[in-house]
Amino acid sequence: MEVRPRANWHRSGELAPISSKTLRFRVDPLVRVGNYDLTLRLQGNDEILEPLRVVMKVSGEEPNWNVNPTLYEHQMTIIGQVQLGGFLLESADSRVAAFINGECRGVASPEKVYDVPYVTMTIYGDSYDYADKNKPITFRIWDASTDIIYPDVELLAPQPLVLRSSTYAPVSPCLFVPDTLIGDYHRPAIWIKGNK
């Protein structure tokens, strides 16, 4: 994002040799979520510009998606990637969460594996008589770079290589099946935002 200085940003003044001056910056409290990088240049007597880099990260409020793995005996794993608008979600601050009956049962963030962002999510289920077996799982995505929560998320799973027409198919509904693995680092599952 390019930041353009306002007309009143230009200031001049003099500073004695081997001295310092404190510069103060005010940030608009309504500035949008994102990463900002600005380089200010100070010019000395020799007409040489000295750069001063100002970096600012504005974050949104992270959703309260937590799970306590010690409460569950069963689990399943999904290795996948998040695609939003055709781009992979890379921010390690972002989150993907899994829910069973509206209760958070798994949370993960993108991490670089082979220099590509993957999400490795463990989803936990109730142990008493396999109470959660075959229950539907819903997903949500929080994109930290835009502070947007996507509540309607679809999971696409890789299909056997013998199918030539389509290598991915929607998992609808995605069911909790203990000790299963969906996707891997060579053929990951894909989370995408739904149409709702």
Side-chain angles (χ1 to χ4, degrees):
M1 171 179 227
E2 182 180 353
V3 178
R4 297 172 191 236
R6 295 180 183 161
N8 63 355
W9 280 20
H10 181 73
R11 299 278 190 246
S12 62
E14 294 184 9
L15 195 60
I18 312 176
S19 64
S20 64
K21 180 168 183 139
T22 301
L23 299 176
R24 290 200 169 99
F25 300 91
R26 282 190 219 136
V27 177
D28 187 334
L30 300 178
V31 69
R32 289 183 297 168
V33 168
N35 295 320
Y36 299 87
D37 193 337
L38 175 69
T39 301
L40 304 174
R41 292 179 175 31
L42 305 174
Q43 185 173 347
N45 289 342
D46 297 330
E47 304 293 322
I48 297 174
L49 293 173
E50 293 290 333
L52 172 64
R53 187 171 177 212
V54 179
V55 178
M56 181 176 73
K57 179 178 180 181
V58 179
S59 301
E61 187 173 335
E62 183 178 337
N64 188 20
W65 295 338
N66 297 304
V67 62
N68 182 353
T70 61
L71 299 177
Y72 309 99
E73 288 185 17
H74 301 288
Q75 62 189 33
M76 66 181 282
T77 304
I78 300 175
I79 298 174
Q81 297 175 311
V82 178
Q83 289 186 5
L84 296 176
F87 295 96
L88 290 179
L89 185 65
E90 295 187 30
S91 171
D93 295 329
S94 296
R95 303 278 183 268
V96 180
F99 297 84
I100 297 176
N101 291 332
E103 181 183 349
C104 185
R105 296 293 184 88
V107 181
S109 297
E111 294 180 7
K112 295 275 180 131
V113 178
Y114 306 122
D115 205 31
V116 178
Y118 289 93
V119 174
T120 303
M121 176 185 288
T122 302
I123 303 170
Y124 299 92
D126 277 337
S127 61
Y128 181 73
D129 290 333
Y130 289 94
D132 288 325
K133 186 175 181 180
N134 293 323
K135 286 195 177 174
I137 302 169
T138 58
F139 299 97
R140 296 180 196 163
I141 298 170
W142 176 59
D143 183 356
S145 66
T146 60
D147 194 29
I148 294 176
I149 293 177
Y150 297 96
D152 176 36
V153 175
E154 294 180 28
L155 180 67
L156 305 177
Q159 299 300 301
L161 293 174
V162 293
L163 296 176
R164 300 274 184 224
S165 61
S166 175
T167 58
Y168 284 86
V171 181
S172 182
C174 182
L175 302 177
F176 181 80
V177 180
D179 303 320
T180 59
L181 171 66
I182 298 175
D184 58 42
Y185 294 115
H186 299 289
R187 299 187 70 224
I190 299 174
W191 284 279
I192 60 171
K193 63 180 182 170
N195 295 323
K196 296 179 185 176

